[in-house]
Amino acid sequence: MAEVLVILGWIGLYAPMALGAIGSIIGCAVAGQAAIGAMLDTETGHGRYVGVSAMPSSQVIYGIVVMFTLNRPITEANASGIFAVGVLAGFALMFSAIYQGQCCASAIHASKAKPEIFGLSVAPAAIVEGFAVFAFIFALVISGGIPQS
Amino acid sequence: MSGENYKYTLLLSSLPVHPTELFETRQPPISRIQLDKRLALLDNEDADDLARIEALLHWSKMKELDDEAVVKQGMVMWRAIRNPFLKDIVMWRLELRTILTALRRRRDGESLTLGAPFDGFGERLRFIKKHWRESAFGMDALLPWVRQASELIEQDRPLELERLILELIWRHYQRVGQGHYFDFPAVVIYVLKWDVINRWTHYDKEQAVLRFDELVSAGLDGVSIEFG
């Protein structure tokens, strides 16, 4: 049982980083494809399309910070806490990155046809980012209650 | 999560957006050559499905066959379409054509009884035959446009009829396209809407007169008419 707990602890430790990275990979790939497509159809504004398509990369950074915050010697006493916080924060970051990528793709597609709505079209992606920040901040806060050893 | 729904993000983002109103359009947003270049991004199975759908719905790609053969061949192609959502779109359009055909045949004085052969698409063939004498084939409540179309056909107003039908098709595509942004159905709907725009923008009175003259000249080739 103790070994299983330790394994779960290690999974929880690396989960925010790994799941955040998976989310960022998918999100940036979807938004990036939209940006490349938009470049084929427009003459200007390419830089901002690429900029928007990179928005889902922030989740992997949050994941790294959560991982370092959770980093401590894994013991029976703290493994379950690390697992719970790490995995749940990781899933929140992963889903937020994926759906943010979809928001970014839609924003690029819409602002290509109506450049004047560019700022407003990015708002949904920013709102999704806000939820990722919630998950990140409160993972840091709650990890303070997990025993150091 | 992002698989099928975002399969053609690159392709659809590279295409110019269609206008909201069909009849305000003066020309297609992209040429067919450019469109075909972008459609090269489709995978083989999807490209085959799109070819089937266009072959079923595009007049220029239909062969000169009798009604029975057209329906038989059409149903074979329709069954080969893999996506049920796209099958519904295609069948809706084929059924619309069947109803228009029935209206024209009735205008031409044909009278269909329940036992008489009537080839067409959809599930309303028997219903049409049963209500042959009613102006909208008894479909007023379900398909309000049938009465309008019937009146325009009876009054011999083909341009207004064409506008009615194109508007109907355009609105239908816009409605069913909701929720499809970067997937294969979105690509198909884009191409079908392009076909509608292309059809509308190619109606040209002067071109039609020229074409008519060409056809008359070709028909009269070798025929000499002497006056006086």
Side-chain angles (χ1 to χ4, degrees):
Chain A
M1 185 63 188
E3 283 178 357
V4 174
L5 269 176
V6 171
I7 291 169
L8 289 176
W10 278 102
I11 290 172
L13 183 59
Y14 195 60
M17 157 71 204
L19 294 173
I22 290 168
S24 293
I25 289 164
I26 297 172
C28 286
V30 168
Q33 287 179 58
I36 295 164
M39 286 180 208
L40 286 172
D41 188 38
T42 53
E43 299 301 324
T44 56
H46 299 168
R48 63 184 184 181
Y49 296 147
V50 174
V52 170
S53 72
M55 273 182 85
S57 55
S58 57
Q59 279 82 350
V60 70
I61 299 167
Y62 302 152
I64 292 169
V65 176
V66 174
M67 181 185 72
F68 279 122
T69 309
L70 291 174
N71 193 20
R72 67 204 68 192
I74 309 283
T75 62
E76 281 181 60
N78 61 18
S80 54
I82 291 172
F83 176 77
V85 174
V87 169
L88 290 175
F91 274 120
L93 294 174
M94 183 180 79
F95 282 116
S96 71
I98 292 169
Y99 285 103
Q100 191 179 47
Q102 296 176 2
C103 289
C104 292
S106 299
I108 290 165
H109 191 52
S111 61
K112 181 192 73 174
K114 281 178 89 174
E116 67 272 19
I117 63 161
F118 178 74
L120 208 56
S121 69
V122 181
I127 292 167
V128 174
E129 179 79 21
F131 294 119
V133 172
F134 283 152
F136 166 59
I137 296 291
F138 288 102
L140 298 186
V141 171
I142 209 156
S143 65
I146 300 173
Q148 283 297 326
S149 58
Chain B
M1 276 172 282
S2 273
E4 288 298 312
N5 288 344
Y6 285 80
K7 189 175 177 185
Y8 292 116
T9 305
L10 172 61
L11 166 59
L12 283 158
S13 288
S14 73
L15 296 170
V17 178
H18 281 316
T20 315
E21 296 300 326
L22 168 65
F23 298 119
E24 288 175 6
T25 315
R26 294 282 166 265
Q27 62 178 28
I30 184 170
S31 70
R32 185 71 208 197
I33 296 168
Q34 284 297 325
L35 179 60
D36 285 339
K37 276 186 187 172
R38 307 281 161 85
L39 291 175
L41 290 167
L42 289 172
D43 68 28
N44 290 341
E45 286 184 327
D46 289 340
D48 290 345
D49 263 356
L50 181 61
R52 279 186 207 105
I53 291 167
E54 281 213 281
L56 271 167
L57 298 184
H58 207 287
W59 286 115
S60 68
K61 296 185 181 181
M62 288 188 78
K63 292 172 186 158
E64 295 285 335
L65 300 165
D66 59 47
D67 287 359
E68 192 185 350
V70 166
V71 172
K72 206 172 168 185
Q73 204 179 71
M75 287 307 290
V76 172
M77 289 175 83
W78 180 77
R79 285 192 196 98
I81 299 168
R82 292 166 305 145
N83 186 320
F85 174 75
L86 296 176
K87 280 173 117 169
D88 286 347
I89 292 177
V90 172
M91 189 47 75
W92 178 87
R93 184 85 182 269
L94 293 173
E95 197 171 52
L96 183 144
R97 261 185 209 163
T98 301
I99 295 169
L100 285 174
T101 305
L103 289 171
R104 289 195 176 106
R105 287 176 69 169
R106 190 176 62 185
R107 188 264 322 264
D108 292 343
E110 282 192 48
S111 179
L112 284 189
T113 55
L114 272 176
F118 175 54
D119 294 299
F121 294 94
E123 294 169 352
R124 296 197 172 92
L125 294 178
R126 205 176 155 74
F127 195 81
I128 290 170
K129 282 200 270 189
K130 194 176 172 186
H131 297 272
W132 187 256
R133 294 280 159 220
E134 293 175 40
S135 68
F137 299 129
M139 293 190 266
D140 282 287
L142 203 60
L143 305 170
W145 63 268
V146 179
R147 179 175 292 281
Q148 280 175 275
S150 172
E151 286 168 4
L152 292 171
I153 287 174
E154 294 297 333
Q155 293 162 12
D156 198 20
R157 290 159 63 193
L159 182 62
E160 284 89 342
L161 177 68
E162 191 68 8
R163 284 183 72 106
L164 173 75
I165 299 304
L166 288 181
E167 179 75 11
L168 188 72
I169 294 167
W170 185 259
R171 296 277 165 233
H172 182 71
Y173 288 159
Q174 281 189 322
R175 194 171 60 250
V176 297
Q178 295 286 323
H180 294 277
Y181 302 109
F182 297 111
D183 54 4
F184 179 55
V187 177
V188 173
I189 290 168
Y190 186 94
V191 174
L192 294 180
K193 284 172 90 174
W194 186 93
D195 285 336
V196 174
I197 294 177
N198 189 49
R199 188 166 145 188
W200 173 248
T201 54
H202 276 74
Y203 288 146
D204 187 316
K205 193 176 162 186
E206 287 166 13
Q207 285 288 330
V209 171
L210 279 174
R211 178 71 182 143
F212 181 74
D213 286 345
E214 279 173 20
L215 290 170
V216 170
S217 302
L220 292 176
D221 197 25
V223 177
S224 62
I225 302 170
E226 290 181 10
F227 295 98

